[in-house]
Amino acid sequence: AGKSDHQPAGLSVDFPVSVVLPAGGTGERTGLRTPKQFCSLLGRPLISYTVQAFERVSWIQSVVVVVAEENMDLMTDVVQRFRHTKVRAVPGGSTRHRSIWNGVLALGEGEGEGAVVIVHDAVRPFVDEDLLYKIATAAKEHGAAGAIRPLVSTVIATTSEGYLDHSLERAKYRASEMPQGFTYDVISRAYQRCSESDFEFGTECLHLALQYCGTNAKLIQGPPTLWKVTYKRDLAAAESIIKDALSRSACVITGGSASGAALAGALREAVGALGTELEVVPDLRGENARCLAKEGNFILVSVGPSRPSEVEALLTELEAANRALLHPLVVIWVHMSDSDELSVSGRAAAVMDLSSAAKLRNILLYGIQLHPSKDAERWERSVSRVAELTSVLIRDRSPALVGQLLQA
Amino acid sequence: AGKSDHQPAGLSVDFPVSVVLPAGGTGERTGLRTPKQFCSLLGRPLISYTVQAFERVSWIQSVVVVVAEENMDLMTDVVQRFRHTKVRAVPGGSTRHRSIWNGVLALGEGEGEGAVVIVHDAVRPFVDEDLLYKIATAAKEHGAAGAIRPLVSTVIATTSEGYLDHSLERAKYRASEMPQGFTYDVISRAYQRCSESDFEFGTECLHLALQYCGTNAKLIQGPPTLWKVTYKRDLAAAESIIKDALSRSACVITGGSASGAALAGALREAVGALGTELEVVPDLRGENARCLAKEGNFILVSVGPSRPSEVEALLTELEAANRALLHPLVVIWVHMSDSDELSVSGRAAAVMDLSSAAKLRNILLYGIQLHPSKDAERWERSVSRVAELTSVLIRDRSPALVGQLLQA
Ligand SMILES: [Mg+2]
Ligand SMILES: [Mg+2]
């Protein structure tokens, strides 16, 4: 998630790998009515980010998402809207283990021959290819593998009366996380042999593999980003990670004028200091068209009279490049011109008009009005205001501010 | 934090209670240069929120913050800037236990006679009075008490070769969290008797109380908000909790006109649906002055020609009420008037001017221009735009957008 410009890691495996993604939770702990895997981050449900994390891994063949019966339509809609191709949704069981087993059964033996099955959580969207590779290859070699993390808190045993009995030595224990991987053989044998009570109350697949197949899973330390989105605050944390990833760079289109290029150069420094790298191009022709495919943020500099047609052209190109499917794109139209009342007002109306159409295409258009000044100090102050506004617009991606013409 | 309007819970204890707050961490895990307890949330360091959580509890007498030598000046500055009164900063030791022991020693025996010492983390700002009361009274009764949470992940024991050895039965164990409480007697005896190795490698005060004083701590389940701000994403999560708390309600000042009152009524519904409750008053005189003390968000409605003096008067009253010390206040100036070019431009300049002075006083001033319409549908659309902009301005409290005149 937030890695739509993710480079393939060049990893590959010589055995089939599929994923089972139990997504049946009802999300009571977030305090929200929507189950957390369907909560929206920048207009897209969390589950879609998790699915995307697997779809971009070339050596993963298919993803079975196991959802509660009442969410099947919702999931089907997510698959269609965000054009997920490796995904099938199947109905879940009454417990986590029954759901995972349903998912494994849906894979079928055909897909299963010599295969590895990765089990993950729908609410851990930031899993990366490197860890998936380690889990898949370790599972192939050892029969089972699981991600672990150091314990965050000391773990204590309690007496039945609610007093401290003893604390565990932290160094000897780990938190068991997701993803986990199994050979198809191990996970299906474990579920075939396990008891009703395991299906009902068990939580750990690794434990079933040990108990029913004698397989000691290989443990692999994962990064902190593996954490599970559990509470409402975790949604804010996840959104912040996604927004960080989306605001790392932007493309400035200067229009070729000397004053446009001068502004772009000054912005590059100021915005760079705020954390976003700017690539400056005169236009998007030829070589420069690569920006259309690469960037999610565009700053279009206009000098002199407003020409909404420039913005329209950019919006049309972005739409043709189909770049706004998974994340909203940001387009900031920076006008540099003398403050002439009627043109400012006309420009404000133009930004508002253009933005309504763009918003339907998941493109967020904002305007910034910059009044040029011969006074060096005033000019610098204006440029740093443009930089500050630009950074905030790119970082926040606020739909409410779309169409506004801000003053620098 | 975010509870500056917190009502006293009416709890009290008949023994002295002090707090030791180890804040010596260097915050490597956030990936930020600033140690996380000094990272800024809405312009105020995290540690100040945590200190505030104790300061607002009437029956807590003093807070000793133990900081690394190199952060003593920073901490002294925080205490002065945010006018913390119950706080002393003392230099820490080389490990967590040495720092806590320094803090206990700084309390001294005078303060210690019959007293309870609460130990907490600087990076858990959301601890509430109710839990502190339970910990303090349980510590008084049993010698020691500690907050616990259910385990989030299964805990597993690993073999020395990195394989699963066994998983623990989740129901029998708990995560040990903060705050913890001790009688002065128990905590000082535990530290006097413990070994160099305990000082160096130990993590749990509860464990020392058990080992060296034979005291089995009483365990008390705390809320999920007790979590520890550890990673950069946790700062985003904490900020989101603070922003939620600050945007629960706002005061609309209508100026007394019929059209102002009509707009306020429509806004109350629309903004209420977005999660913020609006109290509508004609002005802040007499009874209505209570809003000055209660609210952190103000919407000032102007009908007709701009009168910056109205805004200036509100800013002056807010400054006199000294309400912007701990959190930035939001003032939104909503103009309802026919779109007359010169007045819009004059108003934009007035908002920008007033906002610069207000910002220095930690008051964030924004403008919204609303064009009245006789057409019911257009009017409704405009009102819902004002509601949307108002909600976002109050929720985001963005310093970069201060002084802008947004169009509704
Ligand atoms: Mg990851
Ligand atoms: Mg709390």
Side-chain angles (χ1 to χ4, degrees):
Chain A
K3 291 194 180 171
S4 48
D5 308 313
H6 180 81
Q7 296 299 313
L11 302 169
S12 76
V13 297
D14 57 2
F15 49 88
V17 180
S18 293
V19 177
V20 171
L21 209 53
T26 55
E28 298 128 24
R29 280 187 287 188
T30 50
L32 302 166
R33 245 181 296 170
T34 311
K36 55 196 178 305
Q37 62 275 24
F38 292 108
C39 283
S40 186
L41 299 176
L42 301 184
R44 189 151 67 102
L46 188 58
I47 180 85
S48 171
Y49 289 89
T50 311
V51 164
Q52 188 199 353
F54 294 105
E55 282 201 323
R56 67 185 165 219
V57 175
S58 60
W59 46 269
I60 289 181
Q61 303 189 326
S62 64
V63 180
V64 172
V65 181
V66 192
V67 293
E69 193 70 57
E70 72 254 39
N71 291 325
M72 283 293 283
D73 287 351
L74 197 53
M75 188 63 214
T76 307
D77 180 58
V78 169
V79 170
Q80 281 169 359
R81 269 175 64 210
F82 301 103
R83 300 189 204 157
H84 294 303
T85 52
K86 292 184 185 174
V87 177
R88 254 175 312 161
V90 305
S94 56
T95 65
R96 184 176 157 81
H97 274 309
R98 288 192 222 276
S99 289
I100 296 173
W101 184 214
N102 275 6
V104 173
L105 288 173
L107 283 177
E109 282 185 57
E111 264 166 296
E113 198 68 52
V116 161
V117 179
I118 289 177
V119 180
H120 191 63
D121 282 329
V123 290
R124 302 190 195 237
F126 302 113
V127 61
D128 60 30
E129 178 165 4
D130 182 57
L131 180 65
L132 290 170
Y133 182 80
K134 287 178 185 156
I135 294 287
T137 51
K140 183 69 179 174
E141 187 179 345
H142 305 283
I148 52 169
R149 289 282 305 154
L151 292 175
V152 178
S153 311
T154 299
V155 173
I156 58 185
T158 62
T159 68
S160 55
E161 293 82 27
Y163 292 88
L164 173 66
D165 189 75
H166 63 276
S167 27
L168 299 187
E169 224 182 290
R170 221 150 132 172
K172 289 194 183 152
Y173 296 88
R174 297 289 181 279
S176 172
E177 309 284 346
M178 291 280 160
Q180 297 176 347
F182 305 86
T183 58
Y184 183 84
D185 185 51
V186 163
I187 197 161
S188 40
R189 262 194 297 147
Y191 277 123
Q192 276 156 13
R193 293 174 184 178
C194 78
S195 68
E196 278 305 299
S197 155
D198 287 318
F199 268 123
E200 204 61 35
F201 305 110
T203 48
E204 273 279 284
C205 300
L206 296 187
H207 176 75
L208 300 183
L210 177 58
Q211 192 175 351
Y212 296 102
C213 307
T215 303
N216 291 75
K218 176 73 180 166
L219 303 174
I220 290 163
Q221 174 143 332
T225 45
L226 275 186
W227 109 105
K228 195 169 168 174
V229 172
T230 306
Y231 301 104
K232 196 179 162 203
R233 66 170 188 260
D234 293 313
L235 290 169
E239 187 161 286
S240 141
I241 291 174
I242 294 165
K243 285 181 170 176
D244 278 348
L246 291 177
S247 51
R248 279 197 200 113
S249 65
C251 171
V252 191
I253 306 156
T254 66
S257 76
S259 48
L263 174 61
L267 274 184
R268 181 160 52 190
E269 276 193 46
V271 174
L274 297 171
T276 301
E277 216 176 285
L278 295 192
E279 174 161 22
V280 179
V281 296
D283 52 49
L284 291 172
R285 276 171 290 187
E287 245 280 271
N288 297 335
R290 73 185 181 284
C291 294
L292 281 174
K294 209 187 108 199
E295 293 295 348
N297 308 296
F298 297 86
I299 301 164
L300 185 63
V301 178
S302 290
V303 180
S306 331
R307 272 176 313 218
S309 59
E310 293 174 86
V311 183
E312 266 169 0
L314 176 58
L315 295 175
T316 305
E317 286 184 279
L318 287 171
E319 199 184 7
N322 196 22
R323 291 281 291 111
L325 175 66
L326 295 179
H327 301 291
L329 297 184
V330 170
V331 175
I332 301 171
W333 189 16
V334 179
H335 298 268
M336 185 162 54
S337 70
D338 291 315
S339 51
D340 140 348
E341 274 308 323
L342 278 173
S343 69
V344 169
S345 150
R347 227 164 274 150
V351 176
M352 193 61 89
D353 281 353
L354 287 166
S355 73
S356 311
K359 204 173 180 180
L360 300 174
R361 295 174 264 168
N362 208 18
I363 299 172
L364 309 175
L365 175 67
Y366 312 95
I368 298 179
Q369 175 69 45
L370 168 65
H371 304 284
S373 172
K374 300 253 181 257
D375 178 65
E377 204 181 307
R378 272 187 74 171
W379 171 248
E380 263 174 49
R381 219 182 311 133
S382 287
V383 168
S384 72
R385 254 189 108 64
V386 176
E388 196 191 8
L389 289 169
T390 300
S391 295
V392 166
L393 292 172
I394 288 176
R395 181 60 172 61
D396 290 355
R397 296 177 129 67
S398 171
L401 294 172
V402 149
Q404 297 293 334
L405 179 62
L406 305 173
Q407 305 297 314
Chain B
K3 289 193 179 173
S4 49
D5 309 313
H6 180 81
Q7 297 299 314
L11 302 169
S12 75
V13 297
D14 56 3
F15 49 87
V17 180
S18 294
V19 177
V20 171
L21 208 53
T26 55
E28 299 127 25
R29 280 187 288 186
T30 50
L32 301 167
R33 244 181 297 169
T34 310
K36 53 195 180 306
Q37 63 274 24
F38 292 107
C39 283
S40 185
L41 300 176
L42 301 183
R44 189 151 68 101
L46 188 58
I47 180 85
S48 171
Y49 289 90
T50 311
V51 163
Q52 188 199 355
F54 293 105
E55 282 202 322
R56 67 186 166 220
V57 175
S58 60
W59 46 269
I60 288 181
Q61 303 188 326
S62 65
V63 180
V64 173
V65 182
V66 192
V67 293
E69 193 70 56
E70 71 256 38
N71 291 326
M72 283 293 283
D73 287 352
L74 198 53
M75 189 62 215
T76 307
D77 180 59
V78 169
V79 170
Q80 281 169 359
R81 268 175 66 210
F82 301 104
R83 301 188 204 157
H84 294 303
T85 51
K86 292 183 186 175
V87 177
R88 253 176 310 161
V90 305
S94 56
T95 65
R96 184 175 156 82
H97 274 309
R98 288 192 221 275
S99 290
I100 296 173
W101 184 214
N102 275 7
V104 173
L105 288 173
L107 283 176
E109 283 186 56
E111 264 167 296
E113 198 68 50
V116 161
V117 180
I118 289 176
V119 181
H120 191 61
D121 282 327
V123 291
R124 302 190 196 238
F126 302 112
V127 60
D128 59 31
E129 178 165 3
D130 183 57
L131 181 66
L132 290 170
Y133 182 80
K134 287 179 186 156
I135 293 287
T137 51
K140 183 70 180 174
E141 188 180 345
H142 305 284
I148 52 169
R149 289 281 306 153
L151 291 175
V152 177
S153 311
T154 300
V155 173
I156 58 184
T158 63
T159 68
S160 54
E161 293 81 27
Y163 292 89
L164 173 66
D165 189 76
H166 63 276
S167 28
L168 299 186
E169 225 183 289
R170 219 150 133 174
K172 289 193 184 155
Y173 296 89
R174 297 289 181 279
S176 173
E177 308 284 346
M178 291 279 160
Q180 297 176 348
F182 306 88
T183 58
Y184 183 83
D185 186 50
V186 163
I187 197 161
S188 40
R189 261 194 298 146
Y191 277 123
Q192 276 156 12
R193 294 175 184 179
C194 79
S195 67
E196 278 304 299
S197 155
D198 287 319
F199 268 122
E200 205 61 34
F201 306 110
T203 48
E204 274 280 284
C205 300
L206 297 187
H207 176 74
L208 299 183
L210 177 59
Q211 192 175 350
Y212 294 104
C213 308
T215 303
N216 290 76
K218 177 71 180 167
L219 303 174
I220 290 163
Q221 174 144 330
T225 46
L226 275 187
W227 108 107
K228 195 169 168 174
V229 173
T230 305
Y231 301 103
K232 195 179 162 202
R233 66 170 188 260
D234 292 314
L235 290 169
E239 187 162 288
S240 141
I241 290 174
I242 295 166
K243 284 181 171 177
D244 279 348
L246 291 177
S247 51
R248 280 196 199 113
S249 65
C251 170
V252 191
I253 306 155
T254 65
S257 75
S259 48
L263 174 62
L267 273 185
R268 181 159 53 190
E269 276 193 45
V271 175
L274 297 171
T276 301
E277 216 176 284
L278 296 191
E279 173 160 23
V280 179
V281 296
D283 52 49
L284 291 173
R285 276 172 291 188
E287 246 281 88
N288 297 335
R290 73 184 181 284
C291 293
L292 280 174
K294 209 187 109 201
E295 292 295 348
N297 308 295
F298 296 86
I299 301 165
L300 184 64
V301 178
S302 290
V303 180
S306 330
R307 274 177 312 221
S309 58
E310 292 175 86
V311 183
E312 265 169 0
L314 175 58
L315 295 175
T316 305
E317 286 184 278
L318 287 172
E319 199 185 5
N322 196 23
R323 291 282 291 111
L325 176 66
L326 295 179
H327 302 291
L329 298 183
V330 170
V331 175
I332 301 171
W333 190 16
V334 179
H335 297 268
M336 184 161 53
S337 71
D338 290 315
S339 51
D340 141 348
E341 275 308 323
L342 279 172
S343 69
V344 168
S345 152
R347 226 164 274 151
V351 175
M352 193 62 89
D353 281 353
L354 287 166
S355 73
S356 310
K359 204 172 180 180
L360 298 175
R361 294 174 264 169
N362 208 18
I363 299 173
L364 310 175
L365 175 67
Y366 312 94
I368 298 178
Q369 174 70 44
L370 169 65
H371 304 284
S373 171
K374 299 252 182 258
D375 178 65
E377 203 180 307
R378 273 186 72 170
W379 170 248
E380 264 174 47
R381 220 183 309 134
S382 286
V383 169
S384 72
R385 255 188 107 66
V386 176
E388 196 191 8
L389 288 170
T390 300
S391 296
V392 166
L393 292 172
I394 288 176
R395 180 59 171 64
D396 290 354
R397 297 177 128 67
S398 170
L401 293 172
V402 150
Q404 296 294 333
L405 180 62
L406 305 173
Q407 304 297 313

